[in-house]
Amino acid sequence: MDLFYRSTRSNHDAVKASQAILKGLADDGGLYVPESVPRLDKSFEALSEMTYQETAYEVMKLFLTDFTESELKDCINKAYDSKFDTEQIAPIVEAEGTYYLELFHGATIAFKDMALSILPHLLITSAKKNNVKNEIVILTATSGDTGKAALAGFADVKGTKIIVFYPKNGVSPIQEKQMITQKGENTLVVGITGNFDDAQTGVKQLFGDKELAERMNQAGFQFSSANSINIGRLVPQIVYYVYSYSQLLKMGKVEKGEKINVVVPTGNFGNILAAYFAKHMGIPIAKLICASNENKVLYDFFETGIYDRNRAFVLTSSPSMDILISSNLERLIYLTAGADADKNVAFMNSLATSGRYEITADMREHMKDFYGNYASEQETTNTIKTLFEKTGYVIDTHTAVAACVLEKYKKETGDETKTIVASTASPFKFTRSVMNAIDIKYDTMGDFALVDELSKIAKIKVPNAIEEIRTASILHDTVCEKEDMKAVVMRFLGI
Ligand SMILES: *Cc1c(COP(=O)(O)O)cnc(C)c1O
């Protein structure tokens, strides 16, 4: 039987997985949510013998029920191949008794690769299944990592174009260089003079622009989203939580059925929501620990039940988490409101008009597996330095936010449950922040000298993703005001 997906903003409109993937966002502006969360139908013993690709099939077949076995396996095999620099795809590294799940071994050395290497294949397959003739135009706003991972995934994929908007002064120099050196005739990268939320709001407006949609359709184009609201991103992210548990089992680190905690450095709430789904599929996860940086909207939310974006936006050393509106939280709001779209719409309207909403006591009760906390900039820095000095293991700034929050959680609760930290970026992606955390003396060095120095002290080879941009030339230099995003899109499409 097919699993259907419903919008968080209407009580009818149920679509199949391939349709939900194609649309990204529902017509009513809602996010698609599966009608129920399927249970894993393989034992932990069986799972612990599986490769990443085999695990991916076991998880994804339960969500993408309208894909045939060969379609799905084909997507998986095209995605999780030698683009990753390790056969395990998502290896676990133990440091100080904590298990770091390294999600950064793909093409752009950040966790977005885990989903964005498969999304283009899921999209093209979905288009074929639904007889879509239009060319798919991926439109996305990025706080840094999504953009490059999406560009890498879609570049030169036939039948697609990709347009990426990023905050001109809100991403790291290496992130920016990665994007503006992107090759591929079908790619466009644009900096906007604003922050990530401006870029995201602008992109949402373009998605909702009926006049633009009509013009595009006439010219043979249609939008789709590569942002983390697409279930084609959410579902592949569930895989590594299942895989990590079975790996811990295989390594003899946990007993069968033993509960673990998971800590996720959170921005748009996509990655931690995937862990929540893994839990509901049957992975014994006790606490879902949501780690924020100084943009601590989610911490306040879990503390008080009030989501309030009315606050100053802080630029931090973990820019991929510099977010005041966590889009994927809407799915949790909808689910904990009893899959009641009307209730969810009331909250979202309140968010749109006053920038805040307050959930009910009952909903909070349904969120009690979540724990939120945050790390200040200084705490993040200290965490990197201390872990390196004790173990030689170097983590990036986002992962450090998670590691710091884990320490706070343990101090506060005394809970010693074994814990997986989602390690979301390679330290080479945020080299300057990481090296300055270890020793401020490094601040005088140039970007690539720093990369070499990090390689030396961490005893890790410089990843290919960094080697490539050392000498690459800049291919994208468009910068625009947020009001001009539509014009830029139309020019690129020639409409
Ligand atoms: C995107 C990103 C995050 C945040 O993930 P969400 O799914 O948006 O919560 C954390 N760390 C890094 C390195 C990222 O790129």
Side-chain angles (χ1 to χ4, degrees):
M1 245 190 30
D2 270 326
L3 176 65
F4 281 88
Y5 289 78
R6 282 186 188 281
S7 163
T8 51
R9 299 198 188 179
S10 78
N11 288 318
H12 30 277
D13 189 31
V15 299
K16 290 185 185 180
S18 66
Q19 294 164 325
I21 290 171
L22 267 178
K23 287 195 143 173
L25 206 62
D27 289 336
D28 53 29
L31 278 58
Y32 286 111
V33 174
E35 279 189 333
S36 62
V37 179
R39 301 284 298 182
L40 285 164
D41 61 7
K42 291 287 182 306
S43 68
F44 289 134
E45 284 88 350
L47 287 167
S48 65
E49 296 305 318
M50 288 184 195
T51 62
Y52 191 88
Q53 294 81 353
E54 288 163 347
T55 310
Y57 177 70
E58 292 304 327
V59 172
M60 293 177 68
K61 72 170 191 196
L62 300 171
F63 283 95
L64 311 184
T65 53
D66 63 332
F67 282 61
T68 65
E69 178 172 348
S70 73
E71 283 170 344
L72 192 50
K73 286 189 169 164
D74 188 48
C75 291
I76 289 168
N77 293 333
K78 280 180 175 148
Y80 304 112
D81 61 6
S82 60
K83 289 191 285 302
F84 287 77
D85 66 12
T86 155
E87 263 181 31
Q88 292 171 75
I89 308 293
I92 293 175
V93 172
E94 186 175 352
E96 287 234 289
T98 297
Y99 301 103
Y100 289 85
L101 173 62
E102 294 190 346
L103 302 173
F104 55 75
H105 288 271
T108 74
I109 59 175
F111 102 95
K112 304 291 193 298
D113 290 325
M114 301 304 297
L116 282 165
S117 50
I118 193 165
L119 182 70
H121 306 293
L122 296 177
L123 254 176
I124 288 181
T125 309
S126 297
K128 274 198 204 115
K129 296 177 79 66
N130 290 280
N131 296 316
V132 170
K133 300 282 184 298
N134 281 341
E135 194 165 334
I136 305 283
V137 180
I138 297 296
L139 180 64
T140 196
T142 184
S143 53
D145 291 337
T146 305
K148 180 61 189 186
L151 287 161
F154 283 93
D156 291 325
V157 172
K158 267 182 70 186
T160 70
K161 290 197 191 313
I162 173 160
I163 305 172
V164 171
F165 289 100
Y166 71 96
K168 179 70 189 158
N169 296 315
V171 302
S172 82
I174 288 187
Q175 283 180 314
E176 182 174 38
K177 184 130 196 231
Q178 277 191 308
M179 288 193 281
I180 62 180
T181 56
Q182 179 64 48
K183 296 194 183 109
E185 280 299 305
N186 65 336
T187 66
L188 177 67
V189 180
V190 185
I192 70 152
T193 48
N195 62 34
F196 170 68
D197 284 325
D198 294 326
Q200 178 150 273
T201 305
V203 160
K204 276 195 176 162
Q205 275 165 7
L206 293 177
F207 272 116
D209 188 326
K210 298 252 155 48
E211 187 252 355
L212 179 60
E214 184 46 40
R215 259 188 212 229
M216 286 178 55
N217 189 38
Q218 275 170 18
F221 296 113
Q222 72 187 57
F223 277 141
S224 189
S225 161
N227 264 16
S228 64
I229 49 170
N230 195 311
I231 61 131
R233 279 192 53 190
L234 196 56
V235 171
Q237 290 177 1
I238 302 169
V239 173
Y240 46 76
Y241 291 109
V242 174
Y243 181 72
S244 63
Y245 190 78
S246 52
Q247 289 303 297
L248 286 183
L249 207 57
K250 186 176 181 172
M251 289 151 63
K253 302 293 185 186
V254 295
E255 308 281 334
K256 196 179 77 180
E258 180 177 343
K259 289 203 161 143
I260 57 164
N261 291 337
V262 171
V263 193
V264 185
T266 303
N268 245 326
F269 209 74
N271 200 3
I272 195 165
L273 193 71
Y276 172 83
F277 279 121
K279 175 182 166 83
H280 287 269
M281 291 188 86
I283 297 299
I285 296 173
K287 283 286 174 198
L288 295 150
I289 300 173
C290 175
S292 302
N293 64 23
E294 288 180 6
N295 294 293
K296 59 184 183 59
V297 194
L298 288 167
Y299 163 67
D300 293 339
F301 172 68
F302 286 116
E303 281 292 293
T304 62
I306 298 172
Y307 194 93
D308 188 353
R309 65 147 304 173
N310 301 304
R311 62 182 75 206
F313 179 88
V314 188
L315 285 177
T316 73
S317 59
S318 44
S320 302
M321 300 160 67
D322 289 346
I323 286 171
L324 294 182
I325 299 184
S326 301
S327 316
N328 268 295
L329 185 66
E330 181 170 342
R331 288 187 162 109
L332 186 67
I333 297 294
Y334 169 81
L335 289 170
T336 53
D340 185 331
D342 295 337
K343 284 192 185 149
N344 176 58
V345 166
F347 292 125
M348 295 307 131
N349 285 345
S350 169
L351 181 64
T353 53
S354 67
R356 74 195 289 281
Y357 60 83
E358 178 166 10
I359 62 169
T360 63
D362 189 45
M363 288 169 70
R364 288 186 74 184
E365 179 61 22
H366 279 103
M367 290 182 192
K368 65 179 189 315
D369 293 340
F370 285 90
Y371 166 92
N373 213 324
Y374 74 102
S376 69
E377 286 292 273
Q378 189 59 50
E379 289 168 332
T380 306
T381 302
N382 292 348
T383 303
I384 294 171
K385 183 179 172 68
T386 309
L387 187 65
F388 172 68
E389 286 175 353
K390 281 193 184 159
T391 67
Y393 186 52
V394 182
I395 54 176
D396 97 293
T397 44
H398 302 74
T399 309
V401 167
C404 174
V405 164
L406 173 59
E407 282 314 307
K408 288 188 177 181
Y409 169 78
K410 284 195 192 165
K411 273 216 184 89
E412 202 177 300
T413 61
D415 184 0
E416 288 294 328
T417 302
K418 288 166 191 161
T419 303
I420 285 182
V421 168
S423 180
T424 51
S426 159
F428 286 94
K429 193 142 191 177
F430 300 94
T431 320
R432 184 164 302 275
S433 300
V434 167
M435 292 300 277
N436 282 355
I438 290 171
D439 194 328
I440 193 68
K441 76 176 183 211
Y442 292 121
D443 201 32
T444 54
M445 293 171 78
D447 284 337
F448 284 101
L450 264 186
V451 162
D452 292 330
E453 189 65 20
L454 171 56
S455 171
K456 212 163 85 194
I457 66 163
K459 303 187 180 69
I460 325 171
K461 197 170 140 281
V462 177
N464 279 342
I466 299 293
E467 286 298 354
E468 275 170 10
I469 58 166
R470 257 185 221 261
T471 52
S473 42
I474 290 165
L475 301 173
H476 303 267
D477 58 3
T478 311
V479 178
C480 79
E481 301 292 324
K482 58 189 183 209
E483 294 77 21
D484 297 332
M485 290 165 66
K486 182 171 175 177
V488 167
V489 167
M490 290 183 17
R491 202 179 325 133
F492 178 60
L493 298 178
I495 60 173

